[in-house]
Amino acid sequence: MANFSCFFLFFLVLYFANSYSKAQSVPAIYVFGDSLVDVGNNKHLPLSLLRADLPHNGVDYPGGKPTGRFSNGKNSADFLAEKLGLTTAPPYLSQPNDVFVKGVNFASGGAGIFNATNEDVIKQTIPLPIQLGYFSLVHQRLVKQLGTASAQEHLSKSLFPVVIGSNDLINFSKSKNTPQQFVNLMVSSLKEVLKGLHGLGARKFLVVGTSPIGCAPKQRFQSTTNECNAEVNSLSKNYNQGLQSDNPTTYGFNETKAACCGLGKLKARVPCTPVSEYCSNRSNHVFWDIYHPTQTTAHTFIDILFSDSREYVTPVTIQQLIAI
């Protein structure tokens, strides 16, 4: 399996029919997920051990300062908003009492589909069921401000990206279930959250498949030969059967194994912290740190999403979804 496929995934585009048939724009994005799309929620969690509000994160972000993104710059949530002509949806915890008519980001570093994922290690994160609860509060405020009919129309046109599952897979070893039972439970639990979002007015979903995270620097670090973790990758493939491999050199990435920011072998012995080293050639690295993509990787990731290619998006393209 090619290393680069860690971030070039299949997207499951779901649309639940309603009364709108002509082409529509996207008025807002409501983002759910983990550190791949967290734009700063975890820095508002005082006890969280997984934070990205310290150097060298943000070195390539406008202003050059850490923002809470697990990246050297922007992440996929930023580039998705740019493609749709929107500003990046703010982190929910930065202003939890807002109405968020233009969208909001609930994603949290370390979060999983399951409530128990990482709770014994990271101490504080926002698992997907809690993110759904936060959206329920936002939904109440939208209805109060816009009225029931207008709020429903607004949400039916909005986009709901869901980027989550990797942390659950990484923590599979703590489960008493078989691999297939674990994957089945992940799928069924995710479906319940999607049903909950649908019940609150969401109609257009962009569900991102999990990557073969066994090829991330942290997982390779555990091998004396820097090979991918086959067991973790097998779980990823079972969870996302549509995932296909890709060639990293096609997109100009020369370093596909090592992280850019960190210390030790593959820069994966120590994560990206103020005492870590970071590379100068960040644009040709797939990974920024032990698990997360560089800004360049995230940008290319979203470009492919909008390339109108059915190789990566099913059952309809993102352009078709937006136009519904």
Side-chain angles (χ1 to χ4, degrees), residues 13 110 137 159 167 178 180 185 208 226 243 249 275 285-286 290 300 305:
V13 175
L137 297 176
L159 188 63
N167 292 308
T178 67
Q180 194 57 55
L185 187 57
V208 181
N226 299 338
L243 190 64
T249 58
V275 299
H285 276 62
V286 171
I290 59 176
T300 309
L305 168 61

Side-chain angles (χ1 to χ4, degrees), residues 9 32-37 108 110-114 117-118 127-128 131 162-172 182-183 186-187 190 207-211 213 232 235-236 239-240:
L9 317 176
F32 300 78
D34 54 29
S35 56
L36 292 175
V37 285
S108 171
I113 295 172
F114 304 132
T117 295
N118 277 331
L128 189 58
Q131 295 181 33
V162 181
V163 185
I164 204 161
S166 295
N167 292 308
D168 302 283
L169 295 176
I170 292 171
N171 285 273
F172 163 71
F182 187 79
V183 166
M186 284 180 64
V187 172
L190 177 61
V207 182
V208 181
T210 57
S211 66
I213 49 178
V232 176
L235 284 169
S236 296
Y239 182 69
N240 182 16

